[in-house]
Amino acid sequence: MSLASTDFAVVERPKTNSRIFAHPRWDAIPVGAALLHCAYFFGMFYLFPRVPLWVMLILGFIYSVSISWNINGISDNFIHNPYFRSPLLNRLFSIMESTTVGFSQVFYECIHMRHHKGNADRPDGHGGTIDWISIYKHGHEGEAEHPLAYTFLSFFREDPKTVFKELKRKDPREACWGVTELALFVSAFVVLGILNWRYICFLLPFWYLGHCLSYLNGYYRHYGGNPDEPIAWGVSAYGKLYNWTWFFNGYHAEHHFRPKVHWTRMQALRDQIIEQQRKAGVRVIKVPHALGFLDPNLPPHDRSKVSVKRSPFAFRIPTQH
């Protein structure tokens, strides 16, 4: 990391006297949102035989959007600043997240930390990237991959064996928990399918779409950023409604620059570094990241091409970006 990234911007970590929360009690909001999301997930199963199909289609689409909302807001913040003092509560929350969104939170944490380690880096001479989900990994000539390919194919590209090996190397116990979470969420889907096979056929396309929307969100959080400049690694969007509802997911350049800064302190961080950001040319878009393709100053994809470097039939571990 260049000197510029350690030269300034020290944001005091918020303190709390709460016996439950490890950080400010504001974390009760994302925790409550996660609980409601879990209830919504199982509530769809209850409503499926009781409401018209057109209502379920609307509810299914909302679930798809909520997967991206959870991964990029609730789950992302939980990785960097676990919500609870109690390790048991953090573990139970992780299991709940895994079931609700349909992936292992522990596996996601491993993939996400690699994302921060590589910061959407470009491929090396052998075509490899530190960041397993870099938007440049499957691109051409140093350009980002086409957004449609990244959005709809990334779902199939992750290698659970690689993630497991990385987890096992660092902490065998966490690797076992990751596998346990995978087994639990798959078991939940299987049970729902046994109870009502029509429902699981209805749910799976929306589950897939939800993770695609998460990849879409992740794509435009880095497209147009500068992989070689720490303060400009990410792309930010400062819409108030977007950030209030997505737990300051929009402050992505700031998040990559200082990943441990609590979500309630992102504005304070930006206030400190705004002049340095302007000098470095940090990219800012006016729309939420998932709608980044609507940005009027979107860089062209002239040399981007659709490519598939792994079998689309490989089992994957959904990720966050």
Side-chain angles (χ1 to χ4, degrees), residues 22-302:
H23 304 288
R25 289 179 175 86
W26 285 107
D27 280 345
I29 299 177
V31 169
L35 290 168
L36 289 174
H37 193 204
C38 185
Y40 184 91
F41 172 71
F42 288 105
M44 285 199 306
F45 175 76
Y46 174 80
L47 291 174
F48 183 73
R50 294 172 172 84
V51 300
L53 179 59
W54 67 268
V55 173
M56 286 306 305
L57 291 174
I58 294 173
L59 294 178
F61 181 73
I62 292 173
Y63 176 63
S64 295
V65 175
S66 72
I67 288 177
S68 178
W69 163 75
N70 191 323
I71 291 174
N72 293 287
I74 299 169
S75 189
D76 190 339
N77 285 315
F78 177 65
I79 286 174
H80 296 285
N81 294 292
Y83 296 135
F84 303 103
R85 291 187 183 275
S86 166
L88 176 60
L89 287 179
N90 283 323
R91 181 66 68 191
L92 292 174
F93 186 84
S94 180
I95 292 172
M96 182 184 71
E97 283 286 274
S98 301
T99 303
T100 304
V101 182
F103 72 105
S104 166
Q105 176 71 20
V106 171
F107 272 50
Y108 168 41
E109 179 175 353
C110 178
I111 296 169
H112 187 75
M113 296 312 291
R114 287 283 301 206
H115 174 58
H116 277 278
K117 185 177 180 180
N119 295 289
D121 56 325
R122 292 188 174 93
D124 57 24
H126 303 286
T129 56
I130 298 172
D131 177 3
W132 292 332
I133 55 173
S134 172
I135 64 174
Y136 300 97
K137 185 174 183 177
H138 297 273
H140 295 269
E141 301 178 21
E143 295 293 313
E145 184 177 16
H146 192 280
L148 290 177
Y150 185 84
T151 297
F152 293 105
L153 298 181
S154 292
F155 182 93
F156 303 103
R157 287 173 174 161
E158 299 301 334
D159 183 359
K161 292 181 180 179
T162 300
V163 180
F164 178 77
K165 288 179 181 178
E166 180 73 4
L167 278 169
K168 189 175 181 180
R169 181 182 66 83
K170 293 182 177 180
D171 189 338
R173 184 170 177 269
E174 282 299 291
C176 290
W177 270 114
V179 173
T180 300
E181 289 180 344
L182 279 177
L184 288 173
F185 103 72
V186 171
S187 297
F189 277 47
V190 169
V191 170
L192 293 178
I194 292 173
L195 294 175
N196 189 335
W197 67 269
R198 291 182 177 85
Y199 176 74
I200 203 66
C201 292
F202 163 84
L203 178 67
L204 289 177
F206 289 106
W207 174 67
Y208 164 73
L209 177 61
H211 288 284
C212 290
L213 293 177
S214 181
Y215 284 114
L216 176 65
N217 187 82
Y219 186 91
Y220 286 107
R221 291 200 294 182
H222 288 279
Y223 183 68
N226 186 349
D228 303 313
E229 178 58 48
I231 201 171
W233 277 328
V235 174
S236 289
Y238 298 123
K240 289 185 178 180
L241 181 60
Y242 173 44
N243 282 288
W244 289 344
T245 54
W246 289 61
F247 307 105
F248 285 75
N249 168 72
Y251 288 69
H252 205 62
E254 294 79 3
H255 176 60
H256 268 266
F257 187 60
R258 287 288 186 271
K260 291 295 290 182
V261 171
H262 193 265
W263 63 276
T264 60
R265 301 289 290 160
M266 296 309 295
Q267 181 61 57
L269 173 60
R270 189 197 178 210
D271 290 342
Q272 279 197 30
I273 65 175
I274 188 169
E275 290 303 321
Q276 291 87 346
Q277 285 184 317
R278 287 171 178 167
K279 291 178 182 178
V282 171
R283 177 166 165 74
V284 177
I285 59 178
K286 295 182 179 181
V287 296
H289 289 107
L291 301 176
F293 54 88
L294 298 177
D295 183 68
N297 298 314
L298 191 68
H301 291 277
D302 291 343

